């Protein structure tokens, strides 16, 4: 019973902390105007001090090279005295994250995880995190981006093109007629059943290879929403970014950047389309 009460109190304290307001003023970290620590530096590297300045960590914002500009950075927390690090994601971006105040966003994130409270930087908790098992965020993000870059380079070798009828062409087409450079078709449905934009990619035999959904789509055999993602005939889910810059006036499939993004992602991930009977 005592443990339940203590847990409830901890939860209420956490909720109370987020009902309060963090402000950083001339290097002072203030919670409802009370100074609870200190911060120096500027994006991407900040140094955070305890109230008595006896303990500090650095918080560095990191991105994978060539990563989607809409993807938030992760935070590398480092104990400069030992050189050890661990990593955090911004898991509460919808509530407290601000692209204009990364320093304050980092403090909110630390507070949400119990590493920073109304008493300031919690040394034992943050050292336990830094010295604990790696969260592996950097390895995952860098690895994923490496896969994306590799797929993009492969797609480049196909020299893809799409005409206004949705016919997809490539110099690597392997058709009976060597002058026939078709490898498949792409068509757009707007809106789809869920009211959002949808594309379908078919091979030369008109077999469905993949379907791309703009937002909040559910499909049989996959238990998550599809958002700017395509799902292939063999149930692989791949990210393909929406981009409407290609058609500022009127619409032409040949200028549709989203359609090309979808085809490039498919081809880059080994779906060469064409006819399965050849």
């Amino acid at each position: 019973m005592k443990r339940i009460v203590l847990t409830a109190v901890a939860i209420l304290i956490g909720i109370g902390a987020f009902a309060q307001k963090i402000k950083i003023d001339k290097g002072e970290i203030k919670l409802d105007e009370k100074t609870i620590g200190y911060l120096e530096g500027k994006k991407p590297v900040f140094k955070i001090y305890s109230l008595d300045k006896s303990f500090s960590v650095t918080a560095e914002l990191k991105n994978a090279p060539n990563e989607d500009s809409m993807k938030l950075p992760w935070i590398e927390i480092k104990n400069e005295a030992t050189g050890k690090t661990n990593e955090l994601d911004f898991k509460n971006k919808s509530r407290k994250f601000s692209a204009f105040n990364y320093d304050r966003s980092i403090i909110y994130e630390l507070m949400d995880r119990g590493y920073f409270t109304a008493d300031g930087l919690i040394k034992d908790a943050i050292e336990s995190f830094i010295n604990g098992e790696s969260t592996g965020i950097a390895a995952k993000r860098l690895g994923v981006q490496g896969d994306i870059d590799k797929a993009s380079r492969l797609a480049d070798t196909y020299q893809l093109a799409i005409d206004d009828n949705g016919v997809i062409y490539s110099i690597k087409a392997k058709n009976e007629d060597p002058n026939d450079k078709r490898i498949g078709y792409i068509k757009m449905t707007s809106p789809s059943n869920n009211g959002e934009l949808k594309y379908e990619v078919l091979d030369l035999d008109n077999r469905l290879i993949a379907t791309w959904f703009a937002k909040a789509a559910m499909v049989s055999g996959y238990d998550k929403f599809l958002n700017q993602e395509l799902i292939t005939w063999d149930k692989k889910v791949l990210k393909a970014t929406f981009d409407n810059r290609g058609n500022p006036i009127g619409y032409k499939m040949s200028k549709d950047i989203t359609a090309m993004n979808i085809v490039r992602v498919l081809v880059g991930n080994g779906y060469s389309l064409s006819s399965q009977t050849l």
Side-chain angles (χ1 to χ4, degrees):
M1 183 67 182
K2 182 178 180 182
R3 181 179 296 178
I4 294 172
V5 171
L6 290 174
T7 301
V9 170
I11 292 171
L12 289 172
I13 290 172
I15 293 171
F18 280 105
Q20 297 168 304
K21 185 178 180 180
I22 285 289
K23 182 169 70 173
I24 298 175
D25 182 22
K26 296 179 181 178
E28 294 185 19
I29 303 169
K30 295 185 176 183
L31 181 64
D32 288 345
E33 303 305 325
K34 174 189 174 184
T35 300
I36 57 174
Y38 300 91
L39 181 145
E40 63 182 32
K42 59 183 180 179
K43 183 183 174 183
V45 182
F46 301 96
K47 192 166 185 176
I48 304 165
Y49 295 87
S50 60
L51 186 58
D52 61 4
K53 293 193 173 183
S54 64
F55 177 67
S56 67
V57 293
T58 61
E60 181 174 356
L61 301 169
K62 295 198 168 186
N63 288 94
N66 303 315
E67 200 165 38
D68 181 353
S69 61
M70 297 301 291
K71 185 80 172 177
L72 294 181
W74 69 88
I75 312 165
E76 181 186 84
I77 305 295
K78 181 177 182 179
N79 183 331
E80 289 187 315
T82 64
K84 292 185 177 181
T85 65
N86 212 338
E87 303 138 355
L88 295 172
D89 268 328
F90 283 108
K91 71 186 179 88
N92 281 319
K93 57 182 180 291
S94 62
R95 180 172 54 174
K96 289 295 182 182
F97 175 79
S98 169
F100 301 102
N101 299 103
Y102 273 107
D103 49 359
R104 193 173 63 193
S105 297
I106 290 170
I107 299 301
Y108 275 126
E109 194 63 42
L110 293 176
M111 291 186 74
D112 190 56
R113 296 168 186 268
Y115 304 141
F116 205 104
T117 71
D119 295 320
L121 200 59
I122 307 302
K123 180 179 179 180
D124 290 344
I126 205 159
E127 283 191 331
S128 177
F129 167 69
I130 291 174
N131 295 327
E133 183 179 356
S134 172
T135 58
I137 294 169
K140 180 179 178 182
R141 292 270 292 268
L142 291 169
V144 167
Q145 188 58 43
D147 291 341
I148 292 171
D149 293 342
K150 182 179 178 181
S152 182
R153 289 192 295 271
L154 176 59
D156 286 342
T157 68
Y158 278 75
Q159 295 184 27
L160 296 162
I162 304 172
D163 70 15
D164 287 333
N165 295 313
V167 181
I168 307 166
Y169 300 92
S170 167
I171 62 164
K172 291 194 174 185
K174 296 179 180 179
N175 299 321
E176 292 181 356
D177 179 355
N179 293 317
D180 182 0
K181 298 302 180 184
R182 296 174 302 144
I183 62 169
Y185 310 99
I186 184 167
K187 61 181 181 180
M188 178 181 66
T189 301
S190 179
S192 62
N193 292 339
N194 72 337
E196 299 292 340
L197 186 64
K198 180 178 83 171
Y199 290 80
E200 292 180 336
V201 180
L202 304 99
D203 66 13
L204 290 179
D205 300 316
N206 283 305
R207 283 186 284 229
L208 184 64
I209 301 299
T211 306
W212 179 93
F213 297 95
K215 184 180 178 183
M218 292 291 290
V219 298
S220 176
Y222 188 69
D223 62 357
K224 298 178 182 178
F225 283 113
L226 292 164
N227 296 299
Q228 294 188 47
E229 291 169 309
L230 55 92
I231 186 165
T232 64
W233 66 269
D234 54 350
K235 302 301 183 184
K236 289 184 180 178
V237 175
L238 303 168
K239 184 76 174 178
T241 306
F242 172 76
D243 191 328
N244 64 355
R245 291 175 299 168
N247 283 289
I249 301 174
Y251 175 80
K252 289 185 176 182
M253 179 64 85
S254 60
K255 302 293 184 182
D256 190 330
I257 299 174
T258 301
M260 180 57 77
N261 287 346
I262 293 166
V263 174
R264 282 179 58 84
V265 167
L266 268 177
V267 170
N269 282 275
Y271 295 87
S272 56
L273 307 181
S274 295
S275 172
Q276 307 307 309
T277 59
L278 291 176

